[in-house]
CSV table of all heavy atoms in Angstrom, one decimal:
chain,number,residue,atom,x,y,z
A,57,ASP,N,111.3,92.2,126.9
A,57,ASP,CA,111.3,91.2,125.8
A,57,ASP,C,110.8,91.9,124.5
A,57,ASP,O,109.6,92.3,124.4
A,57,ASP,CB,110.3,90.1,126.1
A,57,ASP,CG,110.4,89.0,125.1
A,57,ASP,OD1,111.2,89.1,124.1
A,57,ASP,OD2,109.7,87.9,125.3
A,58,HIS,N,111.7,92.2,123.6
A,58,HIS,CA,111.4,92.9,122.4
A,58,HIS,C,111.2,92.0,121.2
A,58,HIS,O,111.1,92.5,120.1
A,58,HIS,CB,112.5,94.0,122.1
A,58,HIS,CG,112.7,95.0,123.1
A,58,HIS,ND1,111.7,96.0,123.3
A,58,HIS,CD2,113.6,95.3,124.1
A,58,HIS,CE1,112.1,96.8,124.3
A,58,HIS,NE2,113.2,96.4,124.8
A,59,ARG,N,111.2,90.7,121.5
A,59,ARG,CA,111.1,89.8,120.3
A,59,ARG,C,109.8,90.0,119.5
A,59,ARG,O,109.8,89.9,118.3
A,59,ARG,CB,111.1,88.3,120.8
A,59,ARG,CG,112.5,87.9,121.2
A,59,ARG,CD,112.5,86.5,121.7
A,59,ARG,NE,111.8,86.5,123.0
A,59,ARG,CZ,111.7,85.4,123.8
A,59,ARG,NH1,112.3,84.3,123.4
A,59,ARG,NH2,111.1,85.5,124.9
A,60,HIS,N,108.7,90.3,120.2
A,60,HIS,CA,107.4,90.5,119.5
A,60,HIS,C,107.5,91.8,118.6
A,60,HIS,O,106.9,91.8,117.5
A,60,HIS,CB,106.2,90.5,120.4
A,60,HIS,CG,106.2,91.6,121.4
A,60,HIS,ND1,107.0,91.7,122.5
A,60,HIS,CD2,105.5,92.8,121.4
A,60,HIS,CE1,106.8,92.8,123.1
A,60,HIS,NE2,105.9,93.5,122.5
A,61,LEU,N,108.2,92.8,119.1
A,61,LEU,CA,108.3,94.0,118.3
A,61,LEU,C,109.2,93.8,117.1
A,61,LEU,O,109.0,94.3,116.0
A,61,LEU,CB,108.9,95.1,119.2
A,61,LEU,CG,108.0,95.6,120.3
A,61,LEU,CD1,108.7,96.7,121.2
A,61,LEU,CD2,106.7,96.3,119.7
A,62,ALA,N,110.3,93.0,117.4
A,62,ALA,CA,111.2,92.7,116.3
A,62,ALA,C,110.5,91.9,115.2
A,62,ALA,O,110.7,92.1,114.0
A,62,ALA,CB,112.4,92.0,116.8
A,63,GLU,N,109.7,91.0,115.6
A,63,GLU,CA,108.9,90.2,114.6
A,63,GLU,C,107.9,91.0,113.8
A,63,GLU,O,107.8,90.9,112.6
A,63,GLU,CB,108.2,89.0,115.3
A,63,GLU,CG,107.4,88.1,114.4
A,63,GLU,CD,108.1,87.5,113.2
A,63,GLU,OE1,109.4,87.4,113.3
A,63,GLU,OE2,107.5,87.0,112.3
A,64,ALA,N,107.2,91.9,114.5
A,64,ALA,CA,106.3,92.8,113.9
A,64,ALA,C,107.0,93.7,112.9
A,64,ALA,O,106.5,93.9,111.8
A,64,ALA,CB,105.5,93.6,114.9
A,65,ALA,N,108.2,94.2,113.2
A,65,ALA,CA,109.0,95.0,112.3
A,65,ALA,C,109.4,94.3,111.1
A,65,ALA,O,109.4,94.8,110.0
A,65,ALA,CB,110.2,95.6,113.1
A,66,ARG,N,109.8,93.0,111.3
A,66,ARG,CA,110.2,92.2,110.2
A,66,ARG,C,109.1,91.9,109.2
A,66,ARG,O,109.2,92.1,108.0
A,66,ARG,CB,110.8,90.8,110.7
A,66,ARG,CG,111.4,89.9,109.6
A,66,ARG,CD,111.5,88.5,110.0
A,66,ARG,NE,110.3,87.8,110.3
A,66,ARG,CZ,109.4,87.4,109.4
A,66,ARG,NH1,109.7,87.6,108.1
A,66,ARG,NH2,108.3,86.8,109.7
A,67,GLN,N,107.9,91.6,109.8
A,67,GLN,CA,106.7,91.4,108.9
A,67,GLN,C,106.3,92.7,108.2
A,67,GLN,O,106.0,92.6,107.0
A,67,GLN,CB,105.6,90.9,109.8
A,67,GLN,CG,105.8,89.5,110.2
A,67,GLN,CD,104.6,89.0,111.1
A,67,GLN,OE1,103.7,89.8,111.4
A,67,GLN,NE2,104.7,87.8,111.6
A,68,THR,N,106.4,93.8,108.9
A,68,THR,CA,106.1,95.1,108.2
A,68,THR,C,107.1,95.4,107.1
A,68,THR,O,106.7,95.8,106.0
A,68,THR,CB,106.1,96.2,109.2
A,68,THR,OG1,105.1,95.9,110.2
A,68,THR,CG2,105.7,97.6,108.6
A,69,ASN,N,108.3,95.2,107.3
A,69,ASN,CA,109.3,95.4,106.3
A,69,ASN,C,109.1,94.5,105.1
A,69,ASN,O,109.3,94.9,104.0
A,69,ASN,CB,110.7,95.3,106.9
A,69,ASN,CG,111.1,96.4,107.8
A,69,ASN,OD1,110.6,97.5,107.6
A,69,ASN,ND2,112.0,96.2,108.7
A,70,GLN,N,108.8,93.2,105.4
A,70,GLN,CA,108.6,92.3,104.3
A,70,GLN,C,107.4,92.7,103.5
A,70,GLN,O,107.4,92.7,102.3
A,70,GLN,CB,108.3,90.9,104.9
A,70,GLN,CG,108.1,89.8,103.9
A,70,GLN,CD,107.9,88.4,104.5
A,70,GLN,OE1,107.5,88.4,105.7
A,70,GLN,NE2,108.1,87.4,103.8
A,71,PHE,N,106.3,93.1,104.1
A,71,PHE,CA,105.1,93.6,103.4
A,71,PHE,C,105.4,94.8,102.6
A,71,PHE,O,105.0,94.9,101.4
A,71,PHE,CB,104.0,93.9,104.4
A,71,PHE,CG,102.8,94.5,103.8
A,71,PHE,CD1,101.9,93.7,103.2
A,71,PHE,CD2,102.5,95.8,103.9
A,71,PHE,CE1,100.7,94.2,102.6
A,71,PHE,CE2,101.4,96.4,103.3
A,71,PHE,CZ,100.5,95.6,102.6
A,72,LEU,N,106.1,95.8,103.2
A,72,LEU,CA,106.4,97.0,102.5
A,72,LEU,C,107.4,96.9,101.3
A,72,LEU,O,107.4,97.7,100.4
A,72,LEU,CB,106.9,98.1,103.4
A,72,LEU,CG,105.8,98.6,104.5
A,72,LEU,CD1,106.5,99.5,105.5
A,72,LEU,CD2,104.6,99.2,103.8
A,73,SER,N,108.2,95.8,101.4
A,73,SER,CA,109.2,95.6,100.3
A,73,SER,C,108.6,95.0,99.1
A,73,SER,O,109.3,94.9,98.1
A,73,SER,CB,110.4,94.9,100.9
A,73,SER,OG,110.0,93.5,101.1
A,74,LYS,N,107.5,94.4,99.2
A,74,LYS,CA,106.8,93.7,98.1
A,74,LYS,C,106.4,94.8,97.0
A,74,LYS,O,106.0,95.9,97.4
A,74,LYS,CB,105.6,92.9,98.5
A,74,LYS,CG,105.9,91.7,99.3
A,74,LYS,CD,104.7,91.0,99.6
A,74,LYS,CE,105.0,89.8,100.5
A,74,LYS,NZ,103.7,89.1,100.9
A,75,THR,N,106.6,94.4,95.8
A,75,THR,CA,106.2,95.4,94.7
A,75,THR,C,104.7,95.2,94.6
A,75,THR,O,104.1,94.1,94.6
A,75,THR,CB,106.8,95.0,93.4
A,75,THR,OG1,106.6,93.7,93.0
A,75,THR,CG2,108.3,95.3,93.4
A,76,PRO,N,104.0,96.3,94.4
A,76,PRO,CA,102.5,96.3,94.3
A,76,PRO,C,102.1,95.5,93.1
A,76,PRO,O,102.7,95.6,92.0
A,76,PRO,CB,102.1,97.7,94.2
A,76,PRO,CG,103.3,98.5,94.1
A,76,PRO,CD,104.5,97.7,94.3
A,77,GLN,N,101.1,94.7,93.2
A,77,GLN,CA,100.5,93.9,92.1
A,77,GLN,C,99.5,94.8,91.4
A,77,GLN,O,98.6,95.3,91.9
A,77,GLN,CB,99.8,92.6,92.6
A,77,GLN,CG,100.7,91.7,93.4
A,77,GLN,CD,101.8,91.1,92.5
A,77,GLN,OE1,101.5,90.8,91.4
A,77,GLN,NE2,103.0,90.9,93.1
A,78,ARG,N,99.7,94.9,90.1
A,78,ARG,CA,98.8,95.6,89.2
A,78,ARG,C,97.7,94.8,88.8
A,78,ARG,O,97.9,93.6,88.4
A,78,ARG,CB,99.5,96.2,88.0
A,78,ARG,CG,100.6,97.2,88.4
A,78,ARG,CD,101.3,97.8,87.2
A,78,ARG,NE,100.6,97.5,85.9
A,78,ARG,CZ,100.9,98.1,84.8
A,78,ARG,NH1,101.8,99.0,84.7
A,78,ARG,NH2,100.3,97.7,83.7
A,79,LYS,N,96.5,95.3,88.9
A,79,LYS,CA,95.3,94.6,88.4
A,79,LYS,C,95.2,94.6,86.9
A,79,LYS,O,95.4,95.7,86.3
A,79,LYS,CB,94.1,95.1,89.0
A,79,LYS,CG,94.0,94.9,90.5
A,79,LYS,CD,92.7,95.4,91.1
A,79,LYS,CE,92.6,95.1,92.6
A,79,LYS,NZ,91.4,95.5,93.1
A,80,ASP,N,95.0,93.5,86.3
A,80,ASP,CA,94.9,93.4,84.8
A,80,ASP,C,93.5,93.9,84.4
A,80,ASP,O,92.5,93.2,84.8
A,80,ASP,CB,95.2,92.0,84.4
A,80,ASP,CG,95.2,91.9,82.9
A,80,ASP,OD1,95.1,92.9,82.2
A,80,ASP,OD2,95.4,90.8,82.4
A,81,ALA,N,93.4,95.0,83.7
A,81,ALA,CA,92.1,95.6,83.3
A,81,ALA,C,91.4,94.7,82.3
A,81,ALA,O,90.2,94.9,82.1
A,81,ALA,CB,92.3,97.0,82.8
A,82,SER,N,92.1,93.8,81.6
A,82,SER,CA,91.5,93.1,80.6
A,82,SER,C,90.8,91.8,81.1
A,82,SER,O,90.2,91.1,80.4
A,82,SER,CB,92.5,92.7,79.5
A,82,SER,OG,93.5,91.8,80.1
A,83,ARG,N,90.9,91.5,82.4
A,83,ARG,CA,90.3,90.3,83.0
A,83,ARG,C,88.8,90.4,82.9
A,83,ARG,O,88.2,91.5,83.2
A,83,ARG,CB,90.8,90.1,84.4
A,83,ARG,CG,92.2,89.7,84.5
A,83,ARG,CD,92.7,89.5,85.8
A,83,ARG,NE,91.9,88.5,86.5
A,83,ARG,CZ,92.0,88.2,87.8
A,83,ARG,NH1,92.9,88.8,88.5
A,83,ARG,NH2,91.2,87.3,88.4
A,84,ARG,N,88.1,89.4,82.6
A,84,ARG,CA,86.7,89.4,82.4
A,84,ARG,C,86.0,88.5,83.4
A,84,ARG,O,84.8,88.3,83.3
A,84,ARG,CB,86.3,88.9,81.0
A,84,ARG,CG,87.0,89.7,79.9
A,84,ARG,CD,86.1,90.6,79.3
A,84,ARG,NE,86.8,91.3,78.2
A,84,ARG,CZ,86.5,92.5,77.8
A,84,ARG,NH1,85.5,93.1,78.4
A,84,ARG,NH2,87.1,93.1,76.9
């Protein structure tokens, strides 16, 4: 049963495809 591996791969790909959020240095 490879469903759990396929789901983990999907989640990893989704996480890695997100563009990194830049922290706003001007926030106080």
Side-chain angles (χ1 to χ4, degrees):
D57 186 358
H58 295 289
R59 288 178 291 187
H60 65 285
L61 292 175
E63 176 61 17
R66 186 195 65 73
Q67 289 177 1
T68 301
N69 288 335
Q70 183 180 20
F71 175 78
L72 294 174
S73 68
K74 291 181 181 177
T75 56
Q77 300 292 324
R78 293 180 13 165
K79 293 184 179 181
D80 187 2
S82 65
R83 289 180 55 186
R84 306 259 180 203

